[in-house]
Amino acid sequence: MQKIVSSPELVEDVAQKDFVQMRRAVVEFLKPEALQHFVPIMDSMAKEHLETEWSPYREVKVFPLSKKYAFALACRFFLSVTNHNHVTKFADHFAIIIRGLLSVPINIPGTTFNRAIRAGKVVRQEILEVIKQRKKELSENDGTVARDFLTHSLLELDENGKAINEMMIASRIMSLLIAGHDTTNSAITFVLKYLAEFPHVYSEVFKEQMEIAISKGPNDLLNWDDIKKMKYSWNVVLESMRLTPPTQGTFREVVNDFTYTNFTIPKGWKTFWTPYSTHKNPKYFQDPEKFNPSRFEGNGPEPYTFVPFGGGPRMCPGREYARLEILVFMHNVVTRFKWEKAILDEKLSFYVSPIPVNGLPIYLKPHSHK
């Protein structure tokens, strides 16, 4: 007898297949070997950003500027959108979407949730227009077609050998842009915060980055081999993310009953995990409030105790992209400037990511070397 599948079951099954297919495509595109060629582009964009947005000023606010850089980089990487006005339009709508993520879900005109939904529709339509133009370029066999995530998705076939529909691709790209909207620039912001607070750490990072800079020709851009030399700098980033994780955690659904500290958690319940539960636990990190990058030398922390990108099979697929983005930006800003915090005891606010309430204003001190 044939089983009759109810509508909710069918919808859930389709949604799960779509999610698995999307994650597989993202993981494939964001593999380290696939990202290597993007390092010089990141370096070029970081240089241009610092030259136009930082160098002309004595004081800057790190968080809004790092957000501007990170979002422009994401638009370039996933969509090959480089027009300043186009990127700014995207960014304005995404800011509205992010504000609606954790808002009360009341969909009536004037609410944060309603504004986020309307902004999401605008962004999705903009992405669909980019998709339409890219499909035209591909059909004309244009040799200059960008080899970005959009092109990768348009050339991909599903399990039945058919092309992925445009709405699914637009949703993929929106998910990627939302996922990295505040997290990576939050990580960059707090790296710079800690480098201002610990001059001896800044000195070691500066030394490592200058060795790389000196080895390059005047017009040479960073490459994959340069990234591999940034070992101490990456330990600094890891320690920064341990003390101030770029995300507060996320929800997961319990797939089997389990017991934790004498509490039974039933299958089907939603749980919320947070990195703070282990990141500042003295059982796993000695003297947990101390900023100490050396704790990541050698084998580093025990498995599943350091989780800024999550853990297990659902670990963030963009972690390598984030690593490259942070290190490239770090290289450029450290070799150009030293800085001091303008507000010594600036408070933090916590939403999707931790954010300094005043945007981390700093006083820049350009280096005298060329």
Side-chain angles (χ1 to χ4, degrees):
M1 182 176 179
Q2 187 177 8
K3 180 183 177 183
I4 298 176
V5 181
S6 68
S7 180
E9 289 175 329
L10 182 60
V11 170
E12 183 177 354
D13 183 56
V14 171
Q16 180 63 24
K17 286 183 179 179
D18 287 345
F19 171 79
V20 170
Q21 187 176 20
M22 182 181 81
R23 183 174 176 84
R24 188 185 301 122
V26 171
V27 169
E28 180 70 22
F29 190 75
L30 296 179
K31 290 191 300 187
E33 52 268 33
L35 289 170
Q36 293 184 23
H37 77 280
F38 198 63
V39 173
I41 298 173
M42 286 183 168
D43 188 28
S44 176
M45 290 186 67
K47 284 177 166 57
E48 181 181 353
H49 170 77
L50 291 172
E51 187 65 33
T52 58
E53 305 285 352
W54 293 54
S55 292
Y57 308 102
R58 180 176 176 269
E59 180 181 345
V60 297
K61 289 188 176 183
V62 175
F63 184 78
L65 287 180
S66 62
K67 176 186 288 190
K68 186 175 183 179
Y69 163 74
F71 192 74
L73 192 66
C75 288
R76 167 66 179 82
F77 183 67
F78 296 115
L79 288 167
S80 294
V81 171
T82 57
N83 179 273
H84 174 74
N85 292 332
H86 204 168
V87 172
T88 301
K89 185 178 179 181
F90 266 141
D92 291 342
H93 287 298
F94 263 96
I96 297 171
I97 294 171
I98 295 299
R99 285 196 290 271
L101 283 179
L102 300 180
S103 63
V104 179
I106 300 175
N107 188 17
I108 58 175
T111 63
T112 302
F113 187 71
N114 177 262
R115 286 193 291 269
I117 289 175
R118 287 190 288 114
K121 291 178 180 177
V122 172
V123 171
R124 187 174 283 105
Q125 189 57 46
E126 288 282 333
I127 294 175
L128 287 170
E129 289 297 322
V130 176
I131 291 173
K132 182 179 178 181
Q133 177 60 33
R134 185 66 55 81
K135 289 180 76 172
K136 180 175 181 290
E137 294 169 359
L138 287 169
S139 68
E140 294 171 352
N141 197 25
D142 188 343
T144 63
V145 174
R147 307 301 294 183
D148 54 19
F149 183 75
L150 173 54
T151 298
H152 179 82
S153 297
L154 287 171
L155 296 176
E156 179 189 354
L157 301 178
D158 65 15
E159 57 187 14
N160 298 315
K162 296 181 179 179
I164 311 299
N165 74 70
E166 294 180 6
M167 190 60 74
M168 168 62 75
I169 294 173
S171 295
R172 282 183 182 181
I173 292 171
M174 280 192 69
S175 297
L176 291 168
L177 292 173
I178 289 172
H181 189 266
D182 276 346
T183 51
T184 307
N185 56 286
S186 175
I188 290 173
T189 298
F190 284 95
V191 167
L192 268 62
K193 171 184 177 291
Y194 288 119
L195 288 177
E197 293 174 351
F198 300 102
H200 66 288
V201 175
Y202 173 91
S203 295
E204 289 300 313
V205 171
F206 177 73
K207 178 182 176 183
E208 180 176 78
Q209 296 296 348
M210 282 306 299
E211 288 176 357
I212 295 170
I214 291 170
S215 71
K216 313 290 289 182
N219 298 315
D220 290 345
L221 295 170
L222 292 175
N223 56 44
W224 184 254
D225 289 335
D226 297 322
I227 297 294
K228 292 192 290 187
K229 296 174 185 176
M230 301 180 187
K231 292 183 172 61
Y232 181 78
S233 297
W234 183 237
N235 287 345
V236 170
V237 177
L238 295 177
E239 181 68 343
S240 174
M241 291 193 293
R242 183 188 69 82
L243 285 171
T244 314
T247 179
Q248 298 183 63
T250 188
F251 286 98
R252 291 287 184 263
E253 182 174 329
V254 177
V255 295
N256 291 301
D257 296 353
F258 72 96
T259 300
Y260 179 74
T261 61
N262 297 322
F263 289 93
T264 298
I265 314 299
K267 177 181 177 180
W269 277 34
K270 293 293 190 294
T271 61
F272 185 83
W273 69 267
T274 173
Y276 290 98
S277 59
T278 55
H279 282 198
K280 293 192 176 182
N281 190 332
K283 177 181 176 181
Y284 306 115
F285 296 97
Q286 185 178 5
D287 199 1
E289 295 296 334
K290 182 180 180 181
F291 191 87
N292 179 18
S294 67
R295 67 174 87 243
F296 289 94
E297 294 174 355
N299 294 328
E302 294 180 32
Y304 300 104
T305 60
F306 178 68
V307 286
F309 299 108
R314 296 287 294 275
M315 182 180 285
C316 173
R319 58 192 179 278
E320 188 64 24
Y321 171 80
R323 184 176 83 95
L324 297 180
E325 180 178 346
I326 295 167
L327 286 175
V328 168
F329 190 84
M330 197 173 175
H331 168 85
N332 280 280
V333 73
V334 166
T335 54
R336 278 176 180 255
F337 307 108
K338 196 167 185 179
W339 57 89
E340 294 178 353
K341 290 164 58 179
I343 304 173
L344 297 181
D345 57 348
E346 185 175 0
K347 301 278 191 298
L348 303 182
S349 64
F350 290 82
Y351 192 56
V352 177
S353 298
I355 302 172
V357 294
N358 296 294
L360 188 63
I362 58 173
Y363 298 121
L364 296 174
K365 299 179 178 180
H367 293 306
S368 57
H369 64 259
K370 294 184 180 179

